[in-house]
Amino acid sequence: MFKHLRIQNFKGWKDTGKIEMAPISLFFGANSSGKSSIGQFLMMLKQTVELPDRKAVFYPGGKYSAVQLGSYQEMVFNRNASHKIAFEYRWSLRAPLEIEDPVSGKPFSGEDLTFHAEVGLEDTGLESKDLNSPGLNHLKYELMKNDEVTLTLTMGRKATNKSGYEVGATGYKLRRKQGRAWPIGAPVRFYGFPDEVVAYYQNADFAQALNLRHEKLFGSLSYLGPLRTRAERLYSWSGSEPESVGYEGENAIAAILSARNRKISLGPNLKNRPLQEIVASALKQMGLIETFKVNPISRKRQEYEVKVRTKGSNDSVDLLDVGFGISQVLPVLVQCFYAPPGSIILMEQPEIHLHPRAQSALADVMIDVINSRENHADRNIQLVIETHSEHFLRRLQRRIAEDRLPKEKVSVYFANVTNTPATLVPLEIDLYGNIQNWPENFFGDEMEDVVAHGKAAMERRKEQGAPHK
């Protein structure tokens, strides 16, 4: 789970500032305010981690990627190729990292890791930096225990040789192996220590553990885009288990079918229920349907139909024959409960095509998600949500006031583009669910519309000679 995040010189952000993350982290803002860029940056890092090419510092994406960001100059702030993209984040580990120095025998441990990096275009001597590829200037890991740094390991370019790298540590004495010195290779992607580091030092084996923890972090990240695939009349499923519902929710029904044996509860001391039942209950809670079932066509065919019954109806119909909003929110619900424990789910506009009441109820479902348990343990799901929904936020505020949701489990940020460069403003929520620093015209000026409506109605009555009421 991310604890904080900061991005500098990426797309519209000169500096996001330190973003404090929570189990539910919300990002609001006008269209083209830059809020989507934060998720895009995280997905670019995930794509890079999963890329087979270990030398690629950033992978901006291809035809079938979650994000496609183009060249370095297209993604850097103000398209100024001389800018360096810098970033840092801290995340909690599923299990504490234990390290013992084989030379001194001194133990080190931590439950969090903080990572810092800076990337810029390689200086190859060419006249135009546009022709060059990005390179890693430096990276740093900090092992944290009780908010204190117990160990730091860094890698950066040598001051005397820009093509060479050197490794350093704080709080830990690295010891060279005896024999001929050889140059340390370039870092792996944007985050990794190369194998030469372990070969170069007697006591640097833990560098590979840091690499692995980083890869696990981005392996836990999934993304669901703002427009999900349309419903179908029939769904094929070969029996495979999808990693997620997919960027457009195309694997939602396959995920339900592959999770038939999983049982989830929505909190301590609550009943364990199958995933399909949990999803059906959420849809009913949102007032969208009465029943939801995935049925096989026949034993001999690998095809399934999704039948739903809407409120006030006695008959079940295909998912394709009901409101579009149901098919759009279904992948959201499935992904939230299908994702394995420890997952970070990045979503854009989960409320799209839902009416206001359903948007409010969706916020309650998200509370259930972060409270959910599996195999008698918390699932520890983190939701990172870009949204435009006032109703979604208002419901969370209400639940905080009702003491059903600790305010520490929600962080809200507003992308403010009235200033240049844009700023990301943290909204301060008190114990009563009130936002202390509500931005001007956050969801438009509702009172302006009320007053203008009243004035217009009065003027029209005068024109028509109607008595004033």
Side-chain angles (χ1 to χ4, degrees):
M1 183 178 293
F2 284 111
K3 289 194 168 182
H4 77 246
L5 169 68
R6 183 181 183 184
I7 307 169
Q8 295 173 279
N9 289 324
F10 178 74
K11 298 195 76 172
W13 295 107
K14 175 64 176 174
D15 189 348
T16 63
K18 189 176 182 181
I19 306 170
E20 299 291 348
M21 307 288 278
I24 299 177
S25 298
L26 303 178
F27 294 91
F28 289 89
N31 294 332
S32 300
S33 61
K35 60 188 185 300
S36 298
S37 301
I38 296 167
Q40 289 174 358
F41 184 78
L42 292 176
M43 287 308 299
M44 180 185 66
L45 297 187
K46 177 181 174 67
Q47 290 172 180
T48 307
V49 169
E50 296 175 347
L51 188 70
D53 184 359
R54 291 163 55 91
K55 294 182 180 180
V57 175
F58 283 159
Y59 176 50
K63 183 177 180 180
Y64 300 106
S65 303
V67 296
Q68 301 175 41
L69 300 176
S71 67
Y72 182 86
Q73 184 167 349
E74 290 173 301
M75 71 175 74
V76 73
F77 178 68
N78 278 349
R79 297 201 170 195
N80 186 336
S82 65
H83 285 156
K84 307 291 192 296
I85 296 177
F87 52 101
E88 68 171 83
Y89 37 83
R90 177 177 173 180
W91 75 97
S92 56
L93 303 173
R94 294 299 307 278
L97 179 58
E98 307 284 347
I99 297 170
E100 182 176 326
D101 184 352
V103 176
S104 67
K106 183 179 178 180
F108 298 84
S109 66
E111 65 276 354
D112 291 355
L113 278 172
T114 301
F115 178 77
H116 312 249
E118 181 186 88
V119 173
L121 287 185
E122 299 270 18
D123 185 2
T124 61
L126 296 176
E127 291 184 5
S128 174
K129 282 193 173 184
D130 299 353
L131 303 177
N132 302 339
S133 59
L136 185 70
N137 293 332
H138 65 77
L139 63 85
K140 178 171 71 172
Y141 285 89
E142 295 173 318
L143 183 62
M144 313 286 294
K145 185 174 184 178
N146 299 325
D147 291 330
E148 298 290 334
V149 178
T150 62
L151 169 65
T152 298
L153 190 64
T154 65
M155 186 173 183
R157 295 186 185 276
K158 291 182 177 180
T160 57
N161 179 6
K162 290 186 178 181
S163 64
Y165 286 87
E166 57 188 355
V167 176
T170 303
Y172 188 97
K173 188 175 178 61
L174 291 171
R175 295 190 181 275
R176 281 265 312 275
K177 288 184 178 180
Q178 298 298 319
R180 180 176 64 85
W182 62 88
I184 294 176
V188 176
R189 304 183 182 94
F190 66 88
Y191 65 91
F193 296 97
D195 296 338
E196 292 94 326
V197 172
V198 175
Y200 197 87
Y201 295 100
Q202 300 177 39
N203 56 347
D205 288 11
F206 70 94
Q208 301 291 9
L210 297 176
N211 293 355
L212 180 60
R213 296 302 174 100
H214 212 143
E215 290 163 1
K216 286 184 176 181
L217 168 67
F218 283 96
S220 71
L221 179 66
S222 64
Y223 168 77
L224 184 59
L227 294 175
R228 274 72 79 179
T229 188
R230 293 178 60 89
E232 298 180 19
R233 192 73 61 187
L234 296 176
Y235 292 87
S236 297
W237 181 57
S238 62
S240 62
E241 183 175 339
E243 182 177 327
S244 71
V245 299
Y247 304 146
E248 297 179 346
E250 64 274 14
N251 299 324
I253 303 305
I256 290 176
L257 292 168
S258 66
R260 286 176 295 186
N261 296 324
R262 288 176 60 184
K263 297 289 184 69
I264 294 172
S265 70
L266 301 183
N269 304 318
L270 295 180
K271 180 183 177 182
N272 289 316
R273 292 184 290 166
L275 185 142
Q276 180 174 320
E277 185 179 324
I278 292 282
V279 170
S281 176
L283 289 168
K284 185 175 182 179
Q285 179 182 341
M286 295 169 65
L288 299 175
I289 62 161
E290 286 296 311
T291 62
F292 171 91
K293 293 182 179 180
V294 181
N295 301 320
I297 298 297
S298 72
R299 292 183 179 181
K300 296 181 179 180
R301 295 170 58 183
Q302 294 179 324
E303 290 183 319
Y304 296 79
E305 59 182 3
V306 179
K307 292 291 187 180
V308 298
R309 182 170 60 82
T310 56
K311 192 172 183 178
S313 174
N314 295 323
D315 299 319
S316 294
V317 298
D318 289 337
L319 183 61
L320 189 64
D321 297 325
V322 295
F324 189 58
I326 297 176
S327 66
Q328 291 296 287
V329 78
L330 179 61
V332 173
L333 304 178
V334 176
Q335 180 61 22
C336 284
F337 293 108
Y338 178 75
S343 292
I344 303 166
I345 303 174
L346 175 61
M347 291 182 286
E348 293 188 55
Q349 299 181 55
E351 79 284 352
I352 197 168
H353 292 291
L354 294 179
H355 62 78
R357 179 175 176 272
Q359 292 179 30
S360 298
L362 180 60
D364 282 330
V365 174
M366 296 306 178
I367 296 173
D368 288 338
V369 172
I370 66 169
N371 290 333
S372 62
R373 296 169 61 85
E374 189 171 3
N375 297 322
H376 310 291
D378 291 335
R379 293 178 66 229
N380 290 317
I381 300 297
Q382 183 174 35
L383 304 173
V384 182
I385 301 172
E386 178 198 330
T387 178
H388 294 288
S389 176
E390 176 182 4
H391 309 285
F392 188 98
L393 177 58
R394 293 289 193 185
R395 180 57 58 88
L396 294 179
Q397 291 178 258
R398 172 184 167 183
R399 296 310 186 211
I400 291 172
E402 294 171 343
D403 200 21
R404 293 173 58 181
L405 175 67
K407 71 182 186 69
E408 295 79 14
K409 290 195 173 185
V410 180
S411 69
V412 185
Y413 282 83
F414 174 69
N416 186 353
V417 294
T418 57
N419 300 320
T420 303
T423 56
L424 200 58
V425 182
L427 302 190
E428 301 166 7
I429 305 178
D430 64 18
L431 286 171
Y432 311 103
N434 299 312
I435 293 178
Q436 302 298 307
N437 58 334
W438 197 273
E440 185 177 357
N441 296 332
F442 185 31
F443 288 116
D445 193 340
E446 182 179 357
M447 186 54 65
E448 179 184 5
D449 284 338
V450 172
V451 172
H453 171 228
K455 288 182 177 179
M458 185 179 299
E459 291 296 326
R460 190 159 189 182
R461 287 193 187 97
K462 289 180 180 179
E463 292 173 358
Q464 295 180 346
H468 175 69
K469 294 183 180 180

